[in-house]
Amino acid sequence: IGAVALLSREDGKKMVCNVEYNQLEPLLLATGHSEGDVNEEDGFSKFPGNINEMIFDLKLYLDNINVTGGKVDEFINPKYTDNTRTTFKSP
């Protein structure tokens, strides 16, 4: 899960790219969004997520979206130091 973001450089160059969910908060904090990703008054983030998915059965997908409201439970995506998967890169 990530966020589609328009990144702008000081020299005026811009690019649209996916920012991974675990990098969004540090990016926001580093670029002047002192509160990070917080919900607006309407309860939604102004930085919505993007799940980059390929859909094979649109009816089944919509049935599930109607049940969940499109919400996905929070999950962790651990990063390991090597293929033994015994040590995390960070705590």
Side-chain angles (χ1 to χ4, degrees):
I1 296 179
V4 176
L6 172 63
L7 303 180
S8 303
R9 292 176 28 163
E10 290 180 2
D11 65 7
K13 291 183 181 177
K14 296 180 180 184
M15 67 184 285
V16 175
C17 64
N18 183 64
V19 176
E20 291 297 322
Y21 74 95
N22 61 339
Q23 295 299 309
L24 181 60
E25 185 83 1
L27 175 67
L28 293 172
L29 294 172
T31 56
H33 296 86
S34 60
E35 294 183 6
D37 184 12
V38 295
N39 290 344
E40 299 288 298
E41 289 183 17
D42 63 3
F44 295 100
S45 169
K46 62 178 153 185
F47 306 103
N50 164 27
I51 55 176
N52 298 321
E53 62 187 37
M54 184 179 292
I55 301 170
F56 293 98
D57 186 335
L58 186 57
K59 182 182 178 327
L60 179 61
Y61 177 78
L62 291 175
D63 289 345
N64 282 285
I65 291 294
N66 288 329
V67 169
T68 66
K71 295 180 182 176
V72 177
D73 289 336
E74 188 170 341
F75 64 93
I76 59 170
N77 184 11
K79 305 290 189 236
Y80 297 97
T81 57
D82 57 33
N83 288 337
T84 64
R85 300 174 64 100
T86 57
T87 306
F88 295 115
K89 282 188 176 182
S90 61

